[in-house]
Amino acid sequence: MTVNILFAAKEERWPTYEPHLRRALDDKGLDYDLRRDFAPDEVDYMVYAPNSDVQDFTPYTRLKAVLNLWAGVEGITRNDTLTVPLARMVDDGLTQGMIEWVTGHVLRHHLGMDAYIVNPDQEWNLIVPPLAQDRSVAILGLGALGRACAETLVGLGFKVSGWSRSPKEIAGVTCHHGENGLTETLAEAEILVLLLPDTPATENTLNAETLAALPRGAVILNPGRGPLIDDNALIDALNSGQIGHATLDTFRIEPLPADHSYWAHPRVTVTPHCASETRPASASRIIAENIARGESGQPFLYLVDRDSGY
Ligand code: NDP
């Protein structure tokens, strides 16, 4: 029987995704109809992005699963009208993009590159950075992305630690978990990377107290989500010198409002939620794999635990 797949992400994504999705679904040998419009009660699977027009899932009576195109699911996981399995995106291209963004920004701060890139007075001022082996980088969140970044930074020789909800073992990484583990992780972090999901439990993970637990002058990179940080506490910590620099890719309101104090702050770098994008070719293979699994009665990959919110 033909499987009806609704592409429910924004219309402008359709031309980019359609050929990749068709190729991946063909490769799986599925008998399918892929469209942007179906009557709700005809849809078997929904390819979804949180800014989709679909917010009420009640009319989708035949729906077997919602397959999210993004890694972050905060825009859908709290939707009570969704009662079928929800899978998030874990995609090689997305992971590689995040490794590159995190590594690039860690190296920027580790090497002190700004002093030479922004050097209006043309000063010949040699500053010798420590070697990576003497630089501590900590990652909050050791999931698909945090773990891959941690492993890459270990490969470059950095002293890497990390924090997650459950215990982890990652070669070369000092892994902490649970509430007490956070303070231990922060105490070691000259450069701190946030790769936690946005859930009720992670909101304001960085607040006045936890920012004070970092070494003085620590650098923060936030490619995770805006609500992980109490913004007022971060501005205070930047102004006092407790935090040396913050490179922020994600914000509570996006695009970041023009009058937000982050834009003008001399020790904040704003990037426009560009750390890593879902890549249509590799992501389409994950979507097709999950639909094939659904049709053959196998468990879906990368299911979201709706109770924990990620
Ligand atoms: P995962 O779900 O694979 O990993 C999440 C990690 O966070 C896990 O290690 C998890 O612990 C940990 N965690 C969750 N809640 C807590 C908590 N309360 N206390 C301690 N640790 C916690 O997600 P991904 O790695 O795939 O993605 C992480 C986030 O990155 C996404 O949710 C999204 O917000 C962001 N992102 C940003 C992008 C950008 O362009 N800026 C692009 C893609 C993603 P445990 O392992 O024990 O479950």
Side-chain angles (χ1 to χ4, degrees):
M1 207 170 123
T2 302
V3 180
N4 289 341
I5 305 164
L6 176 68
F7 186 83
K10 284 282 181 204
E11 190 175 353
E12 58 263 27
R13 306 250 173 207
W14 175 240
T16 315
Y17 274 90
E18 187 196 359
H20 293 288
L21 282 167
R22 291 199 186 282
R23 195 168 307 133
L25 292 161
D26 289 343
D27 287 349
K28 285 283 167 199
L30 288 160
D31 172 13
Y32 67 91
D33 190 3
L34 171 69
R35 286 199 253 146
R36 288 207 68 253
D37 56 339
F38 280 107
D41 61 359
E42 291 174 349
V43 177
D44 294 301
Y45 295 92
M46 197 184 289
V47 178
Y48 193 80
N51 51 7
S52 157
D53 293 336
V54 179
Q55 295 299 328
D56 180 7
F57 292 89
T58 321
Y60 294 86
T61 48
R62 202 169 111 177
L63 195 60
K64 298 176 188 171
V66 171
L67 309 171
N68 203 54
L69 279 178
W70 309 156
V73 289
E74 68 280 358
I76 181 174
T77 191
R78 298 165 208 171
N79 186 326
D80 291 335
T81 67
L82 179 66
T83 53
V84 298
L86 167 66
R88 65 192 198 88
M89 183 51 65
V90 176
D91 152 36
D92 288 348
L94 179 73
T95 303
Q96 183 58 30
M98 188 59 80
I99 289 172
E100 292 175 13
W101 190 92
V102 167
T103 306
H105 287 277
V106 165
L107 286 173
R108 168 192 170 191
H109 292 292
H110 167 62
L111 296 174
M113 287 161 85
D114 290 16
Y116 309 116
I117 294 170
V118 186
N119 188 7
D121 299 329
Q122 302 181 350
E123 287 179 37
W124 185 274
N125 188 13
L126 173 69
I127 307 161
V128 181
L131 292 173
Q133 67 199 29
D134 298 317
R135 177 78 74 191
S136 298
V137 183
I139 302 184
L140 303 189
L142 293 171
L145 299 177
R147 182 187 191 104
C149 292
E151 288 171 341
T152 300
L153 293 169
V154 167
L156 288 172
F158 286 100
K159 284 195 284 183
V160 182
S161 59
W163 181 64
S164 52
R165 210 154 62 106
S166 56
K168 294 270 181 292
E169 275 186 34
I170 305 173
V173 180
T174 306
C175 295
H176 304 283
H177 69 278
E179 251 175 67
N180 296 338
L182 178 59
T183 321
E184 287 174 73
T185 313
L186 295 176
E188 296 163 8
E190 289 172 273
I191 300 175
L192 181 72
V193 185
L194 303 185
L195 276 169
L196 294 163
D198 172 11
T199 72
T202 61
E203 182 163 16
N204 294 331
T205 296
L206 283 195
N207 53 41
E209 193 186 334
T210 50
L211 287 163
L214 286 159
R216 189 162 178 82
V219 167
I220 290 164
L221 311 181
N222 185 15
R225 283 292 183 263
L228 301 175
I229 298 179
D230 174 338
D231 294 320
N232 291 331
L234 176 57
I235 300 268
D236 287 349
L238 284 158
N239 290 341
S240 74
Q242 168 59 14
I243 298 303
H245 196 101
T247 294
L248 307 173
D249 186 58
T250 53
F251 305 89
R252 285 171 192 264
I253 301 174
E254 294 181 3
L256 185 66
D259 60 352
H260 199 287
S261 45
Y262 282 149
W263 281 115
H265 201 287
R267 278 183 281 116
V268 174
T269 302
V270 171
T271 64
H273 202 138
C274 63
S276 192
E277 270 284 308
T278 299
R279 305 290 161 151
S282 44
S284 294
R285 289 194 286 274
I286 299 294
I287 299 280
E289 169 69 24
N290 254 344
I291 292 174
R293 282 171 168 259
E295 289 308 287
S296 61
Q298 294 177 67
F300 291 108
L301 297 174
Y302 313 128
L303 277 183
V304 172
D305 171 2
R306 303 283 299 281
D307 290 335
S308 52
Y310 69 101

